[in-house]
Amino acid sequence: ETGVTQTPRHLVMGMTNKKSLKCEQHLGHNAMYWYKQSAKKPLELMFVYSLEERVENNSVPSRFSPECPNSSHLFLHLHTLQPEDSALYLCASSVKFLPGLAGGGEQFFGPGTRLTVL
Amino acid sequence: GQNIDQPTEMTATEGAIVQINCTYQTSGFNGLFWYQQHAGEAPTFLSYNVLDGLEEKGRFSSFLSRSKGYSYLLLKELQMKDSASYLCAVSVNYGQNFVFGPGTRLSVLP
């Protein structure tokens, strides 16, 4: 247990469905992240929320929409996904990065949601 | 652009020492992280380097040379449970972006 939980753990959806992934952290952190992990590809950062400020990532398609209602919760809303979006989606949290911060703001990852798009 | 390279796979024997290299070319640098990821599990933090030199933590050590864009993770007294993927990641733009390498899959043999 890392203090970061994700639900659901597994999700199968059709291309026309709308679903949401949920992440919750119990570590008192003030930064949260969504990552995509596909087979044989590096872990890819999708979105960052830091002190509830969102950092844009222009390479993420608009069919992925994040929401951070408070510093403990993070959502990823999914709609009209494609089969190539099938992957493991990992949430992480950390103390907001500051230069010289001990540990550099190490990230704590949740167990992930295994998403399959049919 | 951002690029991080690591060997894809390595094999070592239980009790031995192994060094996993990482080279990076990134637009900016605010520190380098190493994470361990067992199959089917989430990554877990191992080490962080922001200044040149060696950081030691028990059986694991990590080295950084910023001028060379190079880091390595050194694992001593290898155990079977060290079989995992090791991910090198660089923080750029003051935590607004983290670039991960492809990971090195380490197999520890008896």
Side-chain angles (χ1 to χ4, degrees), chain A:
Chain A
E1 282 291 328
T2 63
V4 181
T5 58
Q6 290 186 243
T7 54
R9 295 293 307 276
H10 300 273
L11 178 63
V12 179
M13 58 187 289
M15 288 190 284
T16 58
N17 292 156
K18 289 185 181 180
K19 296 285 184 184
S20 295
L21 309 185
K22 179 182 176 182
C23 176
E24 185 172 359
Q25 59 98 0
H26 310 274
L27 301 169
H29 289 158
N30 51 16
M32 296 187 77
Y33 314 81
W34 278 117
Y35 285 90
K36 177 183 180 181
Q37 189 168 40
S38 305
K40 308 204 183 218
K41 286 188 177 179
L43 201 59
E44 175 189 347
L45 180 63
M46 300 175 72
F47 300 104
V48 179
Y49 276 86
S50 180
L51 296 174
E52 300 176 23
E53 175 186 325
R54 175 176 160 185
V55 176
E56 294 291 340
N57 182 328
N58 294 329
S59 65
V60 181
S62 59
R63 56 186 183 267
F64 294 92
S65 173
E67 178 190 0
C68 187
N70 54 61
S71 60
S72 299
H73 294 86
L74 185 65
F75 295 89
L76 187 63
H77 303 299
L78 316 171
H79 63 98
T80 58
L81 293 192
Q82 304 298 311
E84 60 264 28
D85 297 322
S86 297
L88 180 68
Y89 288 84
L90 291 163
C91 172
S93 72
S94 75
V95 173
K96 175 179 163 57
F97 182 91
L98 289 172
L101 178 69
E106 64 185 89
Q107 294 180 32
F108 292 77
F109 286 82
T113 295
R114 174 68 63 184
L115 174 67
T116 302
V117 182
L118 301 176

Side-chain angles (χ1 to χ4, degrees), chain B:
Chain B
Q2 322 278 26
N3 188 55
I4 297 183
D5 286 319
Q6 302 177 236
T8 305
E9 292 189 21
M10 298 183 70
T11 303
T13 305
E14 195 174 13
I17 299 173
V18 70
Q19 177 175 311
I20 303 175
N21 295 325
C22 170
T23 57
Y24 63 90
Q25 299 100 36
T26 55
S27 56
F29 178 85
N30 302 122
L32 187 143
F33 298 80
W34 284 96
Y35 287 86
Q36 179 190 59
Q37 186 175 25
H38 284 101
E41 298 183 11
T44 56
F45 171 79
L46 290 177
S47 69
Y48 171 68
N49 295 70
V50 65
L51 300 176
D52 290 352
L54 190 68
E55 293 280 343
E56 296 187 79
K57 225 189 227 187
R59 293 189 300 114
F60 293 7
S61 303
S62 57
F63 172 83
L64 175 67
S65 168
R66 289 171 296 171
S67 61
K68 295 181 179 178
Y70 168 71
S71 172
Y72 68 72
L73 180 69
L74 192 71
L75 294 77
K76 302 176 186 175
E77 302 169 15
L78 280 173
Q79 302 175 9
M80 300 297 289
K81 67 179 182 180
D82 297 328
S83 293
S85 288
Y86 292 85
L87 313 179
C88 173
V90 172
S91 170
V92 301
N93 205 12
Y94 296 99
Q96 293 189 352
N97 194 10
F98 291 87
V99 184
F100 277 77
T104 298
R105 181 179 295 177
L106 174 66
S107 298
V108 180
L109 305 177

